[in-house]
Amino acid sequence: MSKIELIATATFGLEAVVAREVRELGYEDLMVEDARVTFAGDEAAVCRANLWLRTADRVLLKMGEFKALTFDELFEKTRALPWPDWIPENAAFPVQGKSVKSQLHSVPDCQAIVKKAVVEKMKQKYKREWFQETGPQYTIEVALLKDMVTLTIDTSGAGLHKRGYRKLGSQAPLKETLAAAMVLLSRWHPEHTLIDPFCGSGTIPIEAALIGSNLAPGLHRAFASEKWPVISKALWAKAREEAKGLAYYTQPLHIIGSDIDGEVLSLARYHARQAGVEEKVFFQKLPVSGLRSKHKYGYIICNPPYGERLGDTKQAEDLYRETGKTFKALDTWSFYILAAHPNFERLFGRKPDKKRKLYNGRIQCNYYQYYGPRPPRKIEPFEETTL
């Protein structure tokens, strides 16, 4: 198989998490930049990266990178790339674009020029003047940053956060990729209890259950590149069989999601069923003030409501104060809290051991990390599923 370059795109702040995931898949030759991790692989890496990456947004095939100051340069250097090696005669190949701090700032013009250049290259290969574009999808992106052009083809199709289990919406959903990142950043181990007292439609507990069971997040969805002739069905089948073989289906987990909204909890239970982790997660209706646990050690990972997003700011502030008082009683637990309020630390009543800037959609947040004491090596056995 040939060596190719792939780009795992990432939300700002999650690049290091994505890079760790790429390395864990066995791809060591990588480069980490803002919002992307570039790595070397082969055709099988397209399948494995799409199936396994929990925190990346997409997996892109990198076709080329060059400097372009004029539209002529953009056209000629784009046409020089080996597009027909990947794109078949009947393919649909729309072009998307973006431009930041570049002389070629007109995105529609850049898109049109790239499209024309790819068509010209295809004409040379396939000896025809017109392409109907009725076949598999090859979405091309032209991205310009400070006059450097990166040309890619999207191998994922729908974004990787669309695992396939969340069919129904809630008022303020957390992206699956960000929820998975929150769990991975906590270094939670499946032997420990994990609670989300603001679980909403269940994304954090479900992503934790997928991680704890080593279930590939993309196992039950389709990808654009599955229809590409150059990546064989056998490669996809092998990658899916590998993923199934690595799953810990019988791994015992103690993951709890609670919320004050009974209706949204019904969504959470539905989503857990769709994700195949219904028996791994327990949901119950409970205000944060009622949070208790018989377990001495554990993790709380949560995304409390933001004033900007759910209700007014004062309600959110009162909730942060109440949360701080409740968590204080769990003095041997670790807390990981995503919040956007600039005065969260004061309202919660405690400075974090560490905080990390993350983005929930367009909302800038901090991920506040409070470390509990290290538990003894022997983990206490799980008791009945209760807070």
Side-chain angles (χ1 to χ4, degrees):
M1 285 185 240
S2 57
K3 274 284 183 183
I4 57 177
E5 274 194 291
L6 297 170
I7 298 173
T9 62
T11 302
F12 282 109
L14 295 183
E15 297 90 347
V17 185
V18 173
R20 191 205 313 168
E21 287 198 89
V22 170
R23 289 191 183 97
E24 287 173 352
L25 284 175
Y27 306 109
E28 295 288 344
D29 184 9
L30 55 83
M31 179 172 60
V32 183
E33 300 172 276
D34 285 348
R36 68 181 187 177
V37 177
T38 304
F39 62 101
D42 54 19
E43 287 88 345
V46 173
C47 311
R48 298 181 70 238
N50 274 298
L51 287 170
W52 279 104
L53 292 181
R54 300 181 190 277
T55 60
D57 293 329
R58 293 179 181 278
V59 178
L60 308 177
L61 170 67
K62 184 177 176 180
M63 293 298 294
E65 193 167 57
F66 51 81
K67 188 172 184 177
L69 300 176
T70 67
F71 289 131
D72 284 343
E73 273 188 292
L74 177 62
F75 178 84
E76 294 298 338
K77 291 178 179 179
T78 298
R79 187 172 61 173
L81 296 173
W83 299 101
D85 289 358
W86 287 92
I87 302 177
E89 187 174 1
N90 68 334
F93 50 102
V95 180
Q96 299 177 350
K98 57 186 177 183
S99 179
V100 179
K101 298 179 181 178
S102 297
Q103 290 194 40
L104 302 180
H105 54 80
S106 171
V107 172
D109 286 340
C110 291
Q111 289 173 268
I113 287 164
V114 166
K115 179 77 174 188
K116 183 178 178 182
V118 175
V119 168
E120 289 301 313
K121 188 73 170 189
M122 300 275 282
K123 285 179 179 179
Q124 293 176 14
K125 166 74 173 181
Y126 297 114
K127 311 300 181 187
R128 59 182 301 171
E129 291 298 311
W130 178 255
F131 298 92
Q132 291 186 321
E133 300 194 41
T134 56
Q137 185 91 355
Y138 291 74
T139 302
I140 298 168
E141 182 182 78
V142 51
L144 292 94
L145 176 62
K146 297 178 181 177
D147 299 322
M148 287 300 298
V149 179
T150 304
L151 287 162
T152 58
I153 304 175
D154 177 20
T155 75
S156 300
L160 294 183
H161 72 281
K162 294 189 176 180
R163 319 290 205 211
Y165 65 77
R166 197 160 73 182
K167 311 285 188 189
L168 303 174
S170 62
Q171 189 176 359
L174 182 73
K175 263 192 177 182
E176 294 88 334
T177 43
L178 180 54
M182 291 168 66
V183 176
L184 292 175
L185 284 168
S186 76
R187 301 285 184 165
W188 168 72
H189 192 276
E191 290 178 327
H192 292 291
T193 301
L194 186 153
I195 298 175
D196 177 3
F198 305 100
C199 72
S201 59
T203 309
I204 292 174
I206 291 168
E207 289 297 319
L210 293 173
I211 291 167
S213 303
N214 202 39
L215 288 165
L219 195 55
H220 301 296
R221 57 156 285 180
F223 303 94
S225 48
E226 285 189 77
K227 296 181 179 179
W228 295 4
V230 75
I231 302 177
S232 71
K233 287 185 175 12
L235 278 181
W236 278 103
K238 183 179 178 182
R240 289 185 184 278
E241 284 305 309
E242 176 194 44
K244 290 175 185 175
L246 291 171
Y248 309 143
Y249 292 106
T250 59
Q251 171 72 46
L253 298 174
H254 194 227
I255 299 172
I256 299 164
S258 61
D259 203 282
I260 59 170
D261 186 341
E263 188 174 334
V264 81
L265 286 173
S266 67
L267 276 182
R269 294 185 184 99
Y270 171 80
H271 292 154
R273 286 196 299 274
Q274 294 297 111
V277 294
E278 181 183 12
E279 296 182 1
K280 306 278 189 178
V281 184
F282 176 73
F283 294 103
Q284 73 178 61
K285 186 176 180 180
L286 190 78
V288 69
S289 59
L291 181 63
R292 305 284 186 275
S293 179
K294 297 177 180 179
H295 300 285
K296 189 172 182 182
Y297 300 97
Y299 289 66
I300 292 176
I301 304 175
C302 61
N303 174 40
Y306 308 157
E308 300 93 329
R309 196 178 51 154
L310 292 175
D312 62 35
T313 302
K314 185 179 183 305
Q315 285 180 324
E317 291 175 349
D318 290 343
L319 184 63
Y320 296 154
R321 290 189 188 97
E322 184 177 45
T323 300
K325 291 175 185 175
T326 302
F327 287 11
K328 196 172 183 180
L330 298 166
D331 57 354
T332 55
W333 283 54
S334 298
F335 315 129
Y336 296 84
I337 307 166
L338 187 70
H341 197 293
N343 295 318
F344 172 81
E345 295 173 40
R346 177 178 59 79
L347 295 163
F348 185 71
R350 181 177 160 190
K351 286 189 175 295
D353 295 294
K354 185 178 181 181
K355 65 181 178 181
R356 186 186 193 115
K357 186 190 296 183
L358 295 177
Y359 286 85
N360 185 5
R362 295 181 180 273
I363 302 173
Q364 182 179 314
C365 304
N366 281 306
Y367 193 38
Y368 297 94
Q369 302 169 56
Y370 300 88
Y371 307 142
R374 185 183 295 274
R377 289 187 66 185
K378 185 178 179 182
I379 307 300
E380 55 187 316
F382 293 152
E383 301 170 24
E384 69 276 10
T385 306
T386 178
L387 292 178

